[in-house]
Amino acid sequence: MSVTVKCIVVDDEPLAAKLISTYVERTPFLELAGVAHDAEEAMRLLDENTDTALLFLDIRMPRLSGMQLARLLPAGLKVVFTTAYADYAVDGFRVGAVDYLLKPVSYEEFLAAASRVRDSVVLEQRATATLSSEGRGARTSFLTVKSEYRLLRLPLDDILYIEGLKDYVKICLAGESKPVLTLMSMKTLEETLPAPLFMRVHRSYIVNTDKVRLIERNSIILGDKCIPVGESYRRSFFAVLEG
């Protein structure tokens, strides 16, 4: 699968920004959306280029540092730090950076980091294509999601319920104390997961109907979790259980 990764170079040093921009233009699978010399300019460029997938980001910049900017970026936007200071490496990876390049950056180092980003984007696109092709009602064995920069294949039979949060969903699995968090909408999951095995019972919940054993006062009890059944979902949910 061929892919083009749109990127922005952010560096307050003109010569450093020019070098990385030259590397971008030299790399066939990269597309340069723009060059910013501070964090505020970078945010404006991101607003104008919403399909940007990657930032080559300096750390020490005036007013707002690259590290501070990285913490403000939308989920899923990838970062490769380019800096003259090795002592920020640990903090860089804590904010989820794909790579950390020390200046002066050689083209070989740049290309290796960019290739890792490209490979990650390809994997994500394949996972999205798989979800789209499965469609509503398809009986598949796994749900593939991205979580914490990893691709996970979750057996459908292990999923107890899914809870919608503000920007993420929380997938709770049988036998696992820690849920899986992923950037995906409840609507996408509702349309993707096979029905009636999975049913939306509330605006914030989708349940695996095979796991439902106890219902009390219009609430589903799954272990120590009490899941409300919304009024608009009750008729179809109980029809499936009784059928």
Side-chain angles (χ1 to χ4, degrees), residues 5-9 30 52-56 77-80 114 117:
V5 180
K6 195 169 185 178
C7 58
I8 292 173
V9 175
L30 294 180
T52 298
L54 169 63
L55 257 62
F56 289 100
L77 186 60
K78 294 168 175 49
V79 171
V80 171
V117 173

Side-chain angles (χ1 to χ4, degrees), residues 119-173:
D119 293 345
S120 176
V121 170
V122 168
L123 282 173
E124 291 168 18
Q125 289 185 356
R126 284 175 177 166
T128 301
T130 299
L131 287 175
S132 299
S133 65
E134 286 169 359
R136 187 180 181 91
R139 292 304 297 259
T140 58
S141 300
F142 294 89
L143 175 67
T144 304
V145 299
K146 183 188 176 190
S147 180
E148 297 178 348
Y149 297 91
R150 300 173 299 162
L151 280 176
L152 304 176
R153 295 184 76 222
L154 307 177
L156 295 188
D157 192 53
D158 288 353
I159 299 174
L160 295 175
Y161 66 90
I162 299 166
E163 181 177 358
L165 306 176
K166 183 179 180 182
D167 297 312
Y168 288 79
V169 297
K170 181 169 69 174
I171 303 173
C172 295
L173 305 170

